[in-house]
Amino acid sequence: MKQLAILGSTGSIGVSTLEIVAAHPDKFRIIALSAGKNLELFARQIRQFRPKLVAVADRDDIPQLRVLLADQEVVITGGVEGLCAVATADNVQMVVAAIVGAAGLVPTAAAIRAGKDVALANKETLVTAGHLFMELVAQHQVKLYPVDSEHSAIFQSSEGHRSQDITRIILTASGGPFRETSLERLKKVTVKDALNHPNWSMGRKITIDSASMMNKGLEVIEARWLFDVPPEKISVNIHPQSIIHSMVEYVDGCVIAQLGTPDMKAPIAYALSYPARVSSGVKPLDLTELAGLTFYKPDLERFPCLGLAYRAMGEGESMPAVMNAANEVAVEAFLEGRIGFLQIPRVIEQTMDNHQPHRLSSIEEVLEADRWGRDAARNICASLTR
Ligand code: NAD
Ligand code: MG
């Protein structure tokens, strides 16, 4: 029986994780849960899975949750300390890190410091603080399992192989809802258009990141740290069908890929049950039902965010954290209708142009760079007219 804590249980990844847990009560047990908003759903999850400890992001929400759970025996906490308490709870073996954004950084670091294995969905953690995280993982000898479908595919395609034999990692990208949209038309797309992803159902922030292709940029940086591969060995192929989740190329010219129906429950199940495999409820793949699998190079002119992520990764130090912060601010501004879709990369680029990268040697310094990036990006957003 594996005992789990989930950070971000009410989100898209959190809900899918709980579906897998519910399907395997003999294999997984929930000890602790945390959520941001959506207290009604959170209360229902707590009734169903009966964790000992729960936390809400905002301490002001504690009284309302207490009312919703008046008849339940559960310790309710909140704030960053509460999230860290969930991440470090006694008897928890694995923490599923499924908070969105840089907010996941501190509790995920706390989990590692407490010796918990981590199933990592929160890619922003590795983007902002990759070197520090990988150092922490090594220092505390915990296991880090990727949940992101591309990274799960790379993990599965590189198992049993020597890392020095890898010549290239090829991340696949669906291309999102605007794969074929002209630059002219991209200026006018709405929030609704951008939230309409063709293949994946996900949280709002990552769905916008997928439309701008910043998601792929974040994933390139995530892969760089997870698999210790230099930037020049990571490439991106657009693959509209999202059937091949990513590939690894070796010195002998062989390429190993992982395929499956696009459903996050597959990589989540693998991270939870590794090295065993358990049923995930994902629809079996029938290749004969598909018209074909196609691949082509991304267009950096229409999707500048991908180029910005490569630039941030190349400049290194505090630049990826600043880029990530600017992206979070710009995506929020877009979702609230304050800036247009093509202004997202402009906000990020201007923030990066104004930043002098410096070395980050602690999580506190990462958080400082994150704050700097947010402030700078907010000012730029405010100065833009739609
Ligand atoms: P989501 O928005 O659906 O859920 C986020 C969860 O985090 C919710 O439980 C929310 O209440 C909580 N949360 C939000 N802000 C918080 C804060 N400041 N403090 C504490 N908790 C907070 O997001 P998601 O789509 O499930 O994505 C979660 C993470 O997984 C992201 O980093 C995303 O990039 C990554 N990811 C998601 C998918 C997917 O299919 N959804 C795929 C790959 C990777
Ligand atoms: Mg992904």
Side-chain angles (χ1 to χ4, degrees), residues 68 92 107 111 127 158 191 244-245 256 259 301-302 311 371:
L68 288 169
V92 166
V127 171
S158 58
V191 171
I244 292 187
H245 298 308
I256 303 185
L259 289 72
E301 201 190 331
R302 282 184 307 133
R311 173 184 151 194
R371 273 193 296 273

Side-chain angles (χ1 to χ4, degrees), residues 205 209 214 218 323-332 344 348:
K205 190 259 178 182
D209 285 348
M214 178 52 93
L218 300 177
M323 176 201 73
N324 178 71
N327 180 54
E328 288 191 28
V329 167
V331 168
E332 194 179 295
I344 296 174
I348 301 167

Side-chain angles (χ1 to χ4, degrees), residues 7-14 34-38 57 83 97-101 103 121-124 147-150 200-206 209 215 218-219 264:
L7 296 166
S9 69
T10 54
S12 161
I13 295 287
S34 89
K37 295 288 169 189
N38 205 344
L83 301 178
I99 289 177
V100 59
N122 178 238
K123 63 191 82 185
E124 294 89 348
V147 166
D148 216 338
S149 57
E150 294 77 2
W200 297 96
S201 150
M202 313 179 280
R204 282 160 68 85
K205 190 259 178 182
I206 182 177
D209 285 348
N215 183 49
L218 300 177
E219 290 182 353
M264 285 308 294

Side-chain angles (χ1 to χ4, degrees), residues 262-343:
D263 186 328
M264 285 308 294
K265 286 204 283 295
I268 295 171
Y270 196 54
L272 294 186
S273 66
Y274 180 88
R277 287 184 185 265
V278 296
S279 63
S280 63
V282 172
K283 183 171 170 262
L285 181 64
D286 182 353
L287 286 172
T288 64
E289 277 178 3
L290 298 170
L293 300 181
T294 51
F295 304 88
Y296 57 89
K297 291 201 171 80
D299 174 354
L300 294 183
E301 201 190 331
R302 282 184 307 133
F303 299 102
C305 286
L306 183 57
L308 290 172
Y310 270 100
R311 173 184 151 194
M313 179 166 59
E315 294 183 25
E317 301 193 312
S318 51
M319 196 53 102
V322 165
M323 176 201 73
N324 178 71
N327 180 54
E328 288 191 28
V329 167
V331 168
E332 194 179 295
F334 171 69
L335 282 170
E336 290 172 359
R338 286 184 277 119
I339 65 170
F341 185 72
L342 283 184
Q343 287 175 320

Side-chain angles (χ1 to χ4, degrees), residues 80 101-103 105-106 128 318-329 351 354-355 358 360 362-380:
V80 176
L105 194 59
V106 170
T128 55
S318 51
M319 196 53 102
V322 165
M323 176 201 73
N324 178 71
N327 180 54
E328 288 191 28
V329 167
T351 308
N354 293 344
H355 184 65
H358 55 268
L360 300 175
S362 65
I363 300 286
E364 290 66 36
E365 288 181 16
V366 175
L367 295 176
E368 242 168 69
D370 175 78
R371 273 193 296 273
W372 186 94
R374 276 169 209 275
D375 289 346
R378 276 195 197 106
N379 288 335
I380 294 166

Side-chain angles (χ1 to χ4, degrees), residues 34-36 39 42 54-59 61-62 65 76-79 82-83:
S34 89
L39 300 188
F42 194 36
V54 301
V56 277
D58 186 346
R59 290 193 64 84
D61 288 332
I62 295 176
L65 191 61
I76 300 175
T77 70
L83 301 178

